[in-house]
Amino acid sequence: MTKNVMLVGVGGQGIILAAKLLTQGLMEAGYDVKMSEIHGMSQRGGSVSSHIRYGDKVEGTTIAPGEADLLVSFEKMEALRELQYLKPTGTVIVNEHEMPSMPILSGDAVYPTDAVEEIQKHAKTVTLNATQMAVALGNAKVANIILLGTIIKAMGLEQIDWEAIIKENVKAEFLDMNWKAVRCGMDIVA
Amino acid sequence: MKQLFTGNEAIARGAYEAGVHFAAAYPGTPSTEILENISNYAEICAEWASNEKVALESVIGASIAGGRAMASMKHVGLNVAADPFFTFAYSGVNGGAVIITADEPGQHSAQNEQDNRNYAKAAKVPMFEPANSQECKDMVVEAYRVSEKFDCPVLIRMTTRVCHGKSIVTLGQREEVEIKDYQKNVKKYCCVPANAKLLRKNLEEKIKNLKEYAEKTPFNFAEENDNTTIGVIASGACYHYAKEAFGENASYLKLGFSFPFPDDMISDFCRKYKKIYVVEENDPLIEEHLLQLGFACHGKDLLPKYGEMTPDVIRKYFLQQEADLIDYRKESVVDRPPALCAGCPHRGFFYELGKHQDVMVSGDIGCYSLGFAKPYNAMDLLICMGGGFSIGHGAQKVFQMRKGETKRVVSVLGDSTFFHSGITSLIDVVYNNSNTVSVILDNRITGMTGHQDNPGTGYNAKGESSAMMDIEKIVRALGISHVRTINPNGLKEVRETLDTFLKLEEPSVVITKWPCALKKFSKEDKEQFAGAFTKKMKVNEEKCIGCKLCMKCGCPATHMDAQKKKMRIDAIQCVGCGVCSQVCPKEAIEWEEA
């Protein structure tokens, strides 16, 4: 059975790296893995998403609305925007970090206050502020790795040697912080 | 060894393993990463060409000289390269030649949704359609065998999801292929009518042979499931989509080599099944061919005529199945439109240009296409790469013919676009004595596709130092005397230049020269733009009156503190272009102390 994990957020949040680490771990664990990204506008503050699919044999690279087992939103409002992708029985992980879009910055619209509340009404929801947690660890940039930790736990992928995967992909001096970030994320999910 | 590769990475790997000697491309989503990855292989001479036609032409030369060569481009790029493409089919190759087209079903980042499989048929060039990364690599290797065996260029048609989708690829070794001897052969390579007529005749023979190949190639295959009455024919990513939607309830004919079609194979398959469904993206090419062969089928009669044919689409239109969706309130979600980055050198120019209500702005393709959007509203049209100047020229000529019409045209395009085909448009402007104001937004890099070098940057695709074209010198050499190179972050200079040039009755050119805020500076940039992006701005709250005029710059680093009614600047994003401070009527935006 193919499992579908969808990462959503804003350009520059490190979604592409998180997806790369996740898919590499899945591949090395022997799964068939496929992934799709749309990143043409990512450098210009647009929404970004990464579709990750794994199982014995995966066909297409994309996840359709209503098909994601896990929706991980790196930004709070994006979780509400993309909730349609979640299976009604699926789980949402929301980084409560807020990144106002241009209409909000310019005062033409307001940042939604009801995002998490609305999501909780419809789906199993895990909330955290990965960005604050990352700052506490010493670098706001590892928020994506904390979120990777939440995915590992939520999808029951703890048996994969993530430390080795991280070792292959990050510089030696950041290894410790990144590994702490993974553990930190794993601890959040019950 | 196994690796997770995007289709683009796999095409590059295929080129490496196939012993390719020469590759050329012009950047364009979703094809850009093909040449970027090829350029990492020391064995291959990899080049950014000034445009797709030039890329293909240099590939033709490389092939005729005896090397294996590859040109890659986005779908609209093949329109630019169509002229050599059609005649290359006549001459054929010496060393194998492969052309990659990256189509865009669903238009994720393109101005149209054309189906370049039509080019294979129209030019009589054989075509492969990979469905995943493994096939991308394998088909490249096979395409070179086909190219050399049948003496023809080969087209590989990818789509966005194949280009940017990742899947597992088993790597092989590079097969070193010797560069073939070059023999002068005017009957083959000099396509004057007398020779081309014979080549045209030979082409029919080649297609006949390729039809036989199509019946035998392992890239065309049937997958039969027991007790099924449904047969599905698909190509490219649609093969996986169809299998996901129909599962074991159907049998499949996968067309990996789809021009010329394997007619016998298709006919045998169609005869076996009660109901035939065709799944293909963009035009109904397979479907129409089935009808020609005399088989009824369902395809675009039920499916949407455009967009991606993902499993959910197939389920909805073929099987009347729809997924259960969460029913929730999303009214409070605010749009997240892309915006010019903080420090983008296009901001100051579009801020000033947008104030001119009496002009038509003829736009072009690049990051600066965002000039059309709020808050600038500074673009009237955008059609194709390099068209900004010439479309503006035609418009200006007609405005002048209309009695009482005083509208003036400002045409804009970027540095890479100028080298692509804007340069020929500008020649037209000068030659036909237009009074349009032509603006070259020179941000020192090809920005939109993710920072590729171009003839203006001083570096080539391998990152080696190269000739650096001087845009101002080129423009002056064309015979334009009204030329100004300005820093677009200085609003007064932008304003005065536009005002002055809009009064002229002769052609004029403005070059706004300042690097992209995301650019990794070269040695030359560091010298020329010393101090750029090293400072930040901040708001002096005592002076700020909350008038929001600075918001008209559309900078993502500024926002309104609704409670305090004061502007705020995000110190992390701000790179100190200083545009907002020039807009402020109260001088409330100041340089941060160093």
Side-chain angles (χ1 to χ4, degrees), chain B residues 262-280:
Chain B
D263 288 350
D264 293 346
M265 194 184 253
I266 291 172
S267 302
D268 288 348
F269 185 81
C270 288
R271 279 187 209 106
K272 282 189 190 163
Y273 300 96
K274 235 190 204 158
K275 216 168 185 180
I276 297 292
Y277 289 103
V278 175
V279 188
E280 57 191 322

Side-chain angles (χ1 to χ4, degrees), chain A residues 35 53 59 78 80 101, chain B residues 166 240 244 328 335-336:
Chain A
M35 180 174 104
R53 316 189 70 206
E59 294 292 345
E78 294 307 306
L80 194 59
S101 61
Chain B
K166 275 191 179 178
H240 289 298
E244 193 165 328
Y328 69 104
D335 284 348
R336 195 179 289 281

Side-chain angles (χ1 to χ4, degrees), chain B residues 50 66 74 95 129 170 182 191 242 255 266 363 366 504 584:
Chain B
S50 42
K74 71 183 290 171
E129 285 186 73
T170 305
Y182 167 70
C191 297
L255 298 179
I266 291 172
L504 296 173
C584 180

Side-chain angles (χ1 to χ4, degrees), chain A residues 29-173:
Chain A
Y31 289 109
D32 186 21
V33 185
K34 287 192 177 171
M35 180 174 104
S36 195
E37 273 167 1
I38 291 295
H39 45 66
M41 286 289 174
S42 61
Q43 283 184 330
R44 287 140 209 104
S47 303
V48 201
S49 70
S50 189
H51 299 201
I52 294 149
R53 316 189 70 206
Y54 65 98
D56 295 335
K57 173 97 178 78
V58 182
E59 294 292 345
T61 55
T62 58
I63 299 169
E67 287 187 344
D69 296 286
L70 183 65
L71 174 70
V72 185
S73 188
F74 285 47
E75 198 277 346
K76 195 163 74 176
M77 181 168 73
E78 294 307 306
L80 194 59
R81 187 192 312 282
E82 308 297 355
L83 187 61
Q84 55 178 319
Y85 279 90
L86 193 73
K87 262 185 201 164
T89 54
T91 300
V92 190
I93 295 174
V94 187
N95 178 15
E96 293 198 84
H97 181 61
E98 293 183 3
M99 293 180 73
S101 61
M102 273 313 286
I104 300 167
L105 293 175
S106 61
D108 295 334
V110 288
Y111 195 95
T113 49
D114 64 335
V116 170
E117 233 173 86
E118 179 63 20
I119 293 166
Q120 281 169 334
K121 274 189 220 161
H122 303 283
K124 193 180 153 204
T125 312
V126 177
T127 60
L128 71 161
N129 195 317
T131 311
Q132 276 177 17
M133 288 162 69
V135 171
L137 281 177
N139 190 338
K141 283 191 176 164
V142 295
N144 61 339
I145 306 299
I146 294 175
L147 289 161
L148 173 66
T150 64
I151 299 167
I152 291 168
K153 188 72 185 289
M155 296 308 289
L157 298 168
E158 298 96 323
Q159 78 286 1
I160 296 171
D161 188 357
W162 295 105
E163 209 169 353
I165 303 291
I166 287 172
K167 219 173 197 169
E168 277 174 47
N169 286 282
V170 308
K171 284 187 189 149
E173 69 246 52

Side-chain angles (χ1 to χ4, degrees), chain B residues 24-28 31 48-52 55 72-73 385 416-417 420 446:
Chain B
Y26 182 78
S31 72
W48 290 124
S50 42
N51 67 38
E52 296 86 349
S72 51
M73 55 201 71
M385 195 89 187
S416 186
T417 307
H420 176 279
T446 312

Side-chain angles (χ1 to χ4, degrees), chain B residues 221-239:
Chain B
F221 58 87
E223 271 178 10
E224 306 194 346
N225 285 313
D226 295 339
N227 306 318
T228 56
T229 54
I230 295 171
V232 178
I233 304 180
S235 71
C238 294
Y239 161 70

Side-chain angles (χ1 to χ4, degrees), chain B residues 200-216:
Chain B
R200 171 68 188 86
K201 195 178 147 209
N202 294 347
L203 190 52
E204 289 307 310
E205 190 63 25
K206 288 182 193 176
I207 291 292
K208 210 180 106 198
N209 295 337
L210 284 159
K211 276 188 175 168
E212 284 173 27
Y213 169 80
E215 302 287 353
K216 290 182 300 202

